Amino acid sequence: MNIVLYLLTVLIWGTTWIAITFQLGVVPAPVSIAYRFWIAAALLLAALLVTRQRWWPPRQAWPYLFAQGIALFCLNFLCFYYAALYITSGQEAVVFSTAPLWIALAGRLFLGRPIRGQVMLGALFGLAGIVLLFAPQMQGHWNDSGVLLGLALSLGGTWCFACGNLLSSRMQALGLTPWLTNTWAMLIGATTLGAAALALGMPFALDPSPRYLWALLYLAIPGSVIGFTAYLLLVGRIGPDRAAYSTVLFPIVALTISTIYEGYQWTPAALCGLALVLAGNVLAFLPPSLRARFKAAF
């Protein structure tokens, strides 16, 4: 089940980056994000009611729900939607692949959790591979203020994602399922964005183009309802730091899409980068018994 949840997360979220770029234009970013999570929250709530599961959170969960809604379903996406105005979806995915490092750091700072060497070493392997894969994209852009702003926004979004992971882990420790917590956190995040957009006078327009509508439905249903539920279930099963290592593979999916639709050319450096990402992935998930055998052998 862990493998299924892991692969599902990678495949779905690895393709949402390009869909986000399809939403830029007519509809303001906060409004698009609000539409996305209102739809997702409504579907999740309907599923809870139909299956007769618990749909109203306990009193002690509300502070965590509000914090997660603002961090994970508001600020996180606001940063990445605006970052897409300055950098490519592939570059956003590269920055987001640093999530395991930020989650481990946030866990240490806020919860006093030890930073496991196995996970961090695997993440560093993966990040080294990502650098080899995408460093050519940054050549000649380091003095571009727009690109640097896009990178800063992406880092801010990744940090908010890390905080949202820890909040989800805390609520699952209270016995609450991601189906329940996602429903209300998404509703809180979407309503906060909607209220802010209304206060700022942003139009609540709807782009009728098939491209925008397809992206909205894809991001709301597979990207939010299925993707976030699968990912946060994984967080509860294996921990936030190990689950977040799936983010290191998102750029691989984005690069595959680029190869098919944009004619990306693989280079020896890119192939080496892919090998490092896969090696880091294996290292991060190496079972303790195999790790002990490996140490004994060497």
PDB file of all heavy atoms in Angstrom, residues 100-101 104 115-125 241-243 245 280 283-285:
ATOM      1  N   PRO A 100      11.940  17.491   1.395  1.00  0.00           N
ATOM      2  CA  PRO A 100      12.394  16.635   2.505  1.00  0.00           C
ATOM      3  C   PRO A 100      13.338  17.335   3.469  1.00  0.00           C
ATOM      4  O   PRO A 100      13.276  17.125   4.686  1.00  0.00           O
ATOM      5  CB  PRO A 100      13.100  15.471   1.782  1.00  0.00           C
ATOM      6  CG  PRO A 100      12.484  15.441   0.430  1.00  0.00           C
ATOM      7  CD  PRO A 100      12.197  16.867   0.087  1.00  0.00           C
ATOM      8  N   LEU A 101      14.216  18.190   2.936  1.00  0.00           N
ATOM      9  CA  LEU A 101      15.146  18.905   3.799  1.00  0.00           C
ATOM     10  C   LEU A 101      14.400  19.891   4.702  1.00  0.00           C
ATOM     11  O   LEU A 101      14.683  19.993   5.896  1.00  0.00           O
ATOM     12  CB  LEU A 101      16.177  19.650   2.948  1.00  0.00           C
ATOM     13  CG  LEU A 101      17.045  18.782   2.031  1.00  0.00           C
ATOM     14  CD1 LEU A 101      17.947  19.662   1.176  1.00  0.00           C
ATOM     15  CD2 LEU A 101      17.888  17.814   2.855  1.00  0.00           C
ATOM     16  N   ALA A 104      12.341  18.012   7.419  1.00  0.00           N
ATOM     17  CA  ALA A 104      13.209  17.528   8.498  1.00  0.00           C
ATOM     18  C   ALA A 104      13.635  18.689   9.395  1.00  0.00           C
ATOM     19  O   ALA A 104      13.655  18.564  10.628  1.00  0.00           O
ATOM     20  CB  ALA A 104      14.432  16.829   7.904  1.00  0.00           C
ATOM     21  N   ILE A 115      16.753  14.390  13.217  1.00  0.00           N
ATOM     22  CA  ILE A 115      16.897  14.317  11.763  1.00  0.00           C
ATOM     23  C   ILE A 115      17.596  13.010  11.428  1.00  0.00           C
ATOM     24  O   ILE A 115      18.769  12.813  11.759  1.00  0.00           O
ATOM     25  CB  ILE A 115      17.700  15.513  11.224  1.00  0.00           C
ATOM     26  CG1 ILE A 115      16.975  16.820  11.549  1.00  0.00           C
ATOM     27  CG2 ILE A 115      17.903  15.379   9.715  1.00  0.00           C
ATOM     28  CD1 ILE A 115      17.711  18.058  11.085  1.00  0.00           C
ATOM     29  N   ARG A 116      16.873  12.089  10.791  1.00  0.00           N
ATOM     30  CA  ARG A 116      17.419  10.771  10.478  1.00  0.00           C
ATOM     31  C   ARG A 116      18.410  10.868   9.326  1.00  0.00           C
ATOM     32  O   ARG A 116      18.103  11.378   8.260  1.00  0.00           O
ATOM     33  CB  ARG A 116      16.298   9.791  10.137  1.00  0.00           C
ATOM     34  CG  ARG A 116      15.458   9.413  11.351  1.00  0.00           C
ATOM     35  CD  ARG A 116      14.433   8.382  11.003  1.00  0.00           C
ATOM     36  NE  ARG A 116      13.331   8.950  10.242  1.00  0.00           N
ATOM     37  CZ  ARG A 116      12.318   8.228   9.752  1.00  0.00           C
ATOM     38  NH1 ARG A 116      12.299   6.930   9.926  1.00  0.00           N
ATOM     39  NH2 ARG A 116      11.352   8.819   9.085  1.00  0.00           N
ATOM     40  N   GLY A 117      19.602  10.352   9.573  1.00  0.00           N
ATOM     41  CA  GLY A 117      20.665  10.438   8.584  1.00  0.00           C
ATOM     42  C   GLY A 117      20.331   9.731   7.287  1.00  0.00           C
ATOM     43  O   GLY A 117      20.706  10.187   6.196  1.00  0.00           O
ATOM     44  N   GLN A 118      19.633   8.604   7.366  1.00  0.00           N
ATOM     45  CA  GLN A 118      19.292   7.833   6.168  1.00  0.00           C
ATOM     46  C   GLN A 118      18.424   8.647   5.212  1.00  0.00           C
ATOM     47  O   GLN A 118      18.675   8.699   4.003  1.00  0.00           O
ATOM     48  CB  GLN A 118      18.567   6.550   6.562  1.00  0.00           C
ATOM     49  CG  GLN A 118      18.117   5.691   5.375  1.00  0.00           C
ATOM     50  CD  GLN A 118      17.236   4.548   5.817  1.00  0.00           C
ATOM     51  OE1 GLN A 118      17.044   4.327   7.006  1.00  0.00           O
ATOM     52  NE2 GLN A 118      16.683   3.819   4.862  1.00  0.00           N
ATOM     53  N   VAL A 119      17.415   9.304   5.766  1.00  0.00           N
ATOM     54  CA  VAL A 119      16.506  10.097   4.938  1.00  0.00           C
ATOM     55  C   VAL A 119      17.227  11.306   4.360  1.00  0.00           C
ATOM     56  O   VAL A 119      17.087  11.636   3.183  1.00  0.00           O
ATOM     57  CB  VAL A 119      15.286  10.539   5.766  1.00  0.00           C
ATOM     58  CG1 VAL A 119      14.410  11.503   4.976  1.00  0.00           C
ATOM     59  CG2 VAL A 119      14.479   9.318   6.184  1.00  0.00           C
ATOM     60  N   MET A 120      18.022  11.990   5.175  1.00  0.00           N
ATOM     61  CA  MET A 120      18.720  13.178   4.703  1.00  0.00           C
ATOM     62  C   MET A 120      19.753  12.838   3.635  1.00  0.00           C
ATOM     63  O   MET A 120      19.898  13.562   2.649  1.00  0.00           O
ATOM     64  CB  MET A 120      19.397  13.882   5.887  1.00  0.00           C
ATOM     65  CG  MET A 120      18.416  14.422   6.904  1.00  0.00           C
ATOM     66  SD  MET A 120      17.242  15.599   6.188  1.00  0.00           S
ATOM     67  CE  MET A 120      18.339  16.941   5.784  1.00  0.00           C
ATOM     68  N   LEU A 121      20.458  11.719   3.818  1.00  0.00           N
ATOM     69  CA  LEU A 121      21.448  11.329   2.819  1.00  0.00           C
ATOM     70  C   LEU A 121      20.767  10.980   1.500  1.00  0.00           C
ATOM     71  O   LEU A 121      21.235  11.362   0.418  1.00  0.00           O
ATOM     72  CB  LEU A 121      22.261  10.139   3.333  1.00  0.00           C
ATOM     73  CG  LEU A 121      23.416   9.674   2.428  1.00  0.00           C
ATOM     74  CD1 LEU A 121      24.408  10.801   2.205  1.00  0.00           C
ATOM     75  CD2 LEU A 121      24.121   8.463   3.040  1.00  0.00           C
ATOM     76  N   GLY A 122      19.640  10.275   1.589  1.00  0.00           N
ATOM     77  CA  GLY A 122      18.891   9.960   0.381  1.00  0.00           C
ATOM     78  C   GLY A 122      18.393  11.209  -0.318  1.00  0.00           C
ATOM     79  O   GLY A 122      18.436  11.321  -1.545  1.00  0.00           O
ATOM     80  N   ALA A 123      17.916  12.182   0.466  1.00  0.00           N
ATOM     81  CA  ALA A 123      17.445  13.436  -0.120  1.00  0.00           C
ATOM     82  C   ALA A 123      18.574  14.200  -0.791  1.00  0.00           C
ATOM     83  O   ALA A 123      18.400  14.767  -1.870  1.00  0.00           O
ATOM     84  CB  ALA A 123      16.806  14.297   0.964  1.00  0.00           C
ATOM     85  N   LEU A 124      19.755  14.202  -0.183  1.00  0.00           N
ATOM     86  CA  LEU A 124      20.894  14.896  -0.779  1.00  0.00           C
ATOM     87  C   LEU A 124      21.327  14.233  -2.085  1.00  0.00           C
ATOM     88  O   LEU A 124      21.694  14.916  -3.043  1.00  0.00           O
ATOM     89  CB  LEU A 124      22.060  14.937   0.216  1.00  0.00           C
ATOM     90  CG  LEU A 124      21.842  15.831   1.437  1.00  0.00           C
ATOM     91  CD1 LEU A 124      23.003  15.684   2.420  1.00  0.00           C
ATOM     92  CD2 LEU A 124      21.687  17.283   1.015  1.00  0.00           C
ATOM     93  N   PHE A 125      21.280  12.902  -2.131  1.00  0.00           N
ATOM     94  CA  PHE A 125      21.551  12.201  -3.389  1.00  0.00           C
ATOM     95  C   PHE A 125      20.567  12.667  -4.461  1.00  0.00           C
ATOM     96  O   PHE A 125      20.939  12.969  -5.597  1.00  0.00           O
ATOM     97  CB  PHE A 125      21.411  10.684  -3.190  1.00  0.00           C
ATOM     98  CG  PHE A 125      22.696   9.972  -2.909  1.00  0.00           C
ATOM     99  CD1 PHE A 125      23.298  10.081  -1.656  1.00  0.00           C
ATOM    100  CD2 PHE A 125      23.305   9.193  -3.868  1.00  0.00           C
ATOM    101  CE1 PHE A 125      24.482   9.420  -1.379  1.00  0.00           C
ATOM    102  CE2 PHE A 125      24.485   8.536  -3.599  1.00  0.00           C
ATOM    103  CZ  PHE A 125      25.077   8.642  -2.346  1.00  0.00           C
ATOM    104  N   ASP A 241       8.849  13.094   6.803  1.00  0.00           N
ATOM    105  CA  ASP A 241      10.120  13.280   6.102  1.00  0.00           C
ATOM    106  C   ASP A 241      10.304  12.254   4.985  1.00  0.00           C
ATOM    107  O   ASP A 241      10.696  12.584   3.868  1.00  0.00           O
ATOM    108  CB  ASP A 241      11.304  13.247   7.083  1.00  0.00           C
ATOM    109  CG  ASP A 241      11.253  12.062   8.028  1.00  0.00           C
ATOM    110  OD1 ASP A 241      10.303  11.249   7.942  1.00  0.00           O
ATOM    111  OD2 ASP A 241      12.183  11.929   8.858  1.00  0.00           O
ATOM    112  N   ARG A 242       9.972  10.983   5.253  1.00  0.00           N
ATOM    113  CA  ARG A 242      10.127   9.961   4.222  1.00  0.00           C
ATOM    114  C   ARG A 242       9.074  10.104   3.123  1.00  0.00           C
ATOM    115  O   ARG A 242       9.357   9.893   1.946  1.00  0.00           O
ATOM    116  CB  ARG A 242      10.064   8.570   4.843  1.00  0.00           C
ATOM    117  CG  ARG A 242      11.197   8.287   5.825  1.00  0.00           C
ATOM    118  CD  ARG A 242      11.076   6.896   6.417  1.00  0.00           C
ATOM    119  NE  ARG A 242      11.365   5.875   5.434  1.00  0.00           N
ATOM    120  CZ  ARG A 242      11.056   4.586   5.586  1.00  0.00           C
ATOM    121  NH1 ARG A 242      10.397   4.202   6.657  1.00  0.00           N
ATOM    122  NH2 ARG A 242      11.375   3.713   4.669  1.00  0.00           N
ATOM    123  N   ALA A 243       7.854  10.479   3.509  1.00  0.00           N
ATOM    124  CA  ALA A 243       6.809  10.679   2.499  1.00  0.00           C
ATOM    125  C   ALA A 243       7.176  11.821   1.571  1.00  0.00           C
ATOM    126  O   ALA A 243       6.930  11.761   0.357  1.00  0.00           O
ATOM    127  CB  ALA A 243       5.471  10.959   3.173  1.00  0.00           C
ATOM    128  N   TYR A 245       9.901  12.627   0.437  1.00  0.00           N
ATOM    129  CA  TYR A 245      10.929  12.317  -0.551  1.00  0.00           C
ATOM    130  C   TYR A 245      10.317  12.074  -1.930  1.00  0.00           C
ATOM    131  O   TYR A 245      10.998  12.158  -2.943  1.00  0.00           O
ATOM    132  CB  TYR A 245      11.756  11.101  -0.111  1.00  0.00           C
ATOM    133  CG  TYR A 245      13.028  10.995  -0.914  1.00  0.00           C
ATOM    134  CD1 TYR A 245      14.119  11.807  -0.614  1.00  0.00           C
ATOM    135  CD2 TYR A 245      13.127  10.145  -1.997  1.00  0.00           C
ATOM    136  CE1 TYR A 245      15.265  11.753  -1.358  1.00  0.00           C
ATOM    137  CE2 TYR A 245      14.272  10.086  -2.758  1.00  0.00           C
ATOM    138  CZ  TYR A 245      15.348  10.894  -2.438  1.00  0.00           C
ATOM    139  OH  TYR A 245      16.482  10.872  -3.197  1.00  0.00           O
ATOM    140  N   GLY A 280      19.110   7.704  -4.556  1.00  0.00           N
ATOM    141  CA  GLY A 280      18.703   8.353  -3.317  1.00  0.00           C
ATOM    142  C   GLY A 280      17.351   7.860  -2.836  1.00  0.00           C
ATOM    143  O   GLY A 280      17.124   7.707  -1.633  1.00  0.00           O
ATOM    144  N   LEU A 283      17.879   4.532  -1.201  1.00  0.00           N
ATOM    145  CA  LEU A 283      18.559   4.716   0.078  1.00  0.00           C
ATOM    146  C   LEU A 283      17.595   5.204   1.157  1.00  0.00           C
ATOM    147  O   LEU A 283      17.620   4.726   2.296  1.00  0.00           O
ATOM    148  CB  LEU A 283      19.703   5.717  -0.081  1.00  0.00           C
ATOM    149  CG  LEU A 283      20.504   6.064   1.182  1.00  0.00           C
ATOM    150  CD1 LEU A 283      21.165   4.806   1.751  1.00  0.00           C
ATOM    151  CD2 LEU A 283      21.543   7.123   0.872  1.00  0.00           C
ATOM    152  N   ALA A 284      16.718   6.148   0.802  1.00  0.00           N
ATOM    153  CA  ALA A 284      15.797   6.711   1.788  1.00  0.00           C
ATOM    154  C   ALA A 284      14.811   5.675   2.315  1.00  0.00           C
ATOM    155  O   ALA A 284      14.357   5.760   3.450  1.00  0.00           O
ATOM    156  CB  ALA A 284      15.037   7.892   1.184  1.00  0.00           C
ATOM    157  N   PHE A 285      14.477   4.681   1.485  1.00  0.00           N
ATOM    158  CA  PHE A 285      13.477   3.694   1.877  1.00  0.00           C
ATOM    159  C   PHE A 285      14.080   2.332   2.193  1.00  0.00           C
ATOM    160  O   PHE A 285      13.352   1.362   2.331  1.00  0.00           O
ATOM    161  CB  PHE A 285      12.424   3.537   0.768  1.00  0.00           C
ATOM    162  CG  PHE A 285      11.460   4.670   0.717  1.00  0.00           C
ATOM    163  CD1 PHE A 285      11.699   5.757  -0.103  1.00  0.00           C
ATOM    164  CD2 PHE A 285      10.338   4.677   1.517  1.00  0.00           C
ATOM    165  CE1 PHE A 285      10.827   6.815  -0.142  1.00  0.00           C
ATOM    166  CE2 PHE A 285       9.451   5.737   1.492  1.00  0.00           C
ATOM    167  CZ  PHE A 285       9.699   6.808   0.654  1.00  0.00           C
TER     168      PHE A 285
END
